[in-house]
Amino acid sequence: MIQQLKLGFVNAFLVRGTKAILVDSGTPGQADRILRAAGRGGVSLDDIAAIIHTHGHFDHCGSTAELRRRAAMKVAIHVGDADKLRSGRAALPHSTSLMARAVLAFVNTSFEPVEPDVLLNEGFDLRQFGLAATIVPTPGHTAGSVSVLFHSGEVIVGDLLFGGFLGGKLLPTWPRYPALADDYDQVRASVEKLLGLGARRFYLGHGGPLDYKQVLIHLSLRVPRLTHPAGAPASI
Ligand SMILES: [Zn+2]
Ligand SMILES: [Zn+2]
């Protein structure tokens, strides 16, 4: 079960199997807000077994250090973004959006660094947390961006796609390519990869969620050939 935690302009996610995991931790200073939201769903601090990061930016890793100080939880990120988490300083990709550039000029993008416990790679299996889900590397926004793909077809993609404008405040279910990315060709290929693996509902770092049909239409993507039987991305 995926619970979207709205933390201002960014989303984190609480996912429950036999154990609970967090996907991303918002900006710095959000630990209390995350724990209050988790508590409302019956999940306490000690129930959270791990924080999995979709990528290494300040608005997705910002409260990880504080959460781990309070309880023993594994901290996981793809090797391609591990240095961002280790240093707490990730230069953001160049943005094609004037508005994003203007806003980011005033934002402190550093955060308290954390040494990761687990380096994620293709096919990393979340069964150890009682979740029917795997990690799919989906580079483009950053080199080490990953998605969490559930056998149900739900997928948490971080900043691979944006929903709407102003961090999802406006038109949150309008699919867009991210306002900043290291490599837009890779972004497109990663979205197509997920569609080919059976992704049907996209949960985003900003705005969302999105239905895959809207993604196909708005982003003019080719209709993917499924690379596995629908809803069972087990062979990645
Ligand atoms: Zn990002
Ligand atoms: Zn973000």
Side-chain angles (χ1 to χ4, degrees):
M1 184 187 137
I2 301 172
Q3 183 184 350
Q4 180 168 299
L5 311 177
K6 287 191 179 163
L7 307 169
F9 72 96
V10 64
N11 302 315
F13 298 89
L14 184 68
V15 187
R16 272 176 285 170
T18 52
K19 298 177 184 171
I21 62 163
L22 264 179
V23 179
D24 292 341
S25 68
T27 50
Q30 298 287 352
D32 284 332
R33 200 166 168 186
I34 289 169
L35 294 174
R36 273 199 304 276
R40 283 195 291 275
V43 174
S44 72
L45 176 63
D46 292 327
D47 296 330
I48 300 172
I51 307 179
I52 289 177
H53 297 92
T54 58
H55 64 293
H57 285 156
F58 77 102
D59 51 329
H60 301 259
C61 303
S63 295
T64 298
E66 190 179 348
L67 287 164
R68 190 165 68 172
R69 240 194 321 278
R70 297 193 194 181
M73 55 185 81
K74 296 268 185 246
V75 170
I77 193 164
H78 187 270
V79 63
D81 271 21
D83 281 346
K84 295 180 172 61
L85 189 61
R86 279 191 191 107
S87 67
R89 281 191 307 276
L92 296 180
H94 178 73
S95 176
T96 53
S97 154
L98 273 178
M99 192 197 287
R101 288 218 295 269
V103 170
L104 287 169
F106 296 98
V107 173
N108 176 5
T109 58
S110 62
F111 56 95
E112 188 179 342
V114 182
E115 181 62 35
D117 305 297
V118 179
L119 295 179
L120 301 169
N121 50 27
E122 179 106 45
F124 183 90
D125 198 326
L126 299 183
R127 256 182 306 200
Q128 58 187 294
F129 304 112
L131 295 167
T134 50
I135 296 295
V136 181
T138 46
H141 177 66
T142 63
S145 289
V146 300
S147 296
V148 184
L149 178 61
F150 295 79
H151 294 193
S152 61
E154 296 167 298
V155 64
I156 302 173
V157 303
D159 287 356
L160 180 64
L161 291 174
F162 276 15
F165 303 84
L166 303 174
K169 297 269 188 253
L170 197 65
L171 302 173
T173 57
W174 183 273
R176 295 173 59 217
Y177 285 114
L180 11 79
D182 282 344
D183 185 330
Y184 280 99
D185 288 340
Q186 274 192 337
V187 167
R188 197 178 170 91
S190 290
V191 176
E192 289 184 341
K193 176 182 180 183
L194 287 174
L195 290 166
L197 289 169
R200 293 297 176 258
R201 188 168 171 80
F202 288 67
Y203 291 87
L204 315 179
H206 307 278
L210 308 175
D211 179 80
Y212 81 103
K213 293 194 190 98
Q214 297 300 312
V215 173
L216 281 173
I217 292 165
H218 285 276
L219 304 183
S220 320
L221 295 169
R222 66 183 174 81
V223 176
R225 180 194 296 266
L226 279 180
T227 52
H228 68 92
S235 59
I236 53 176

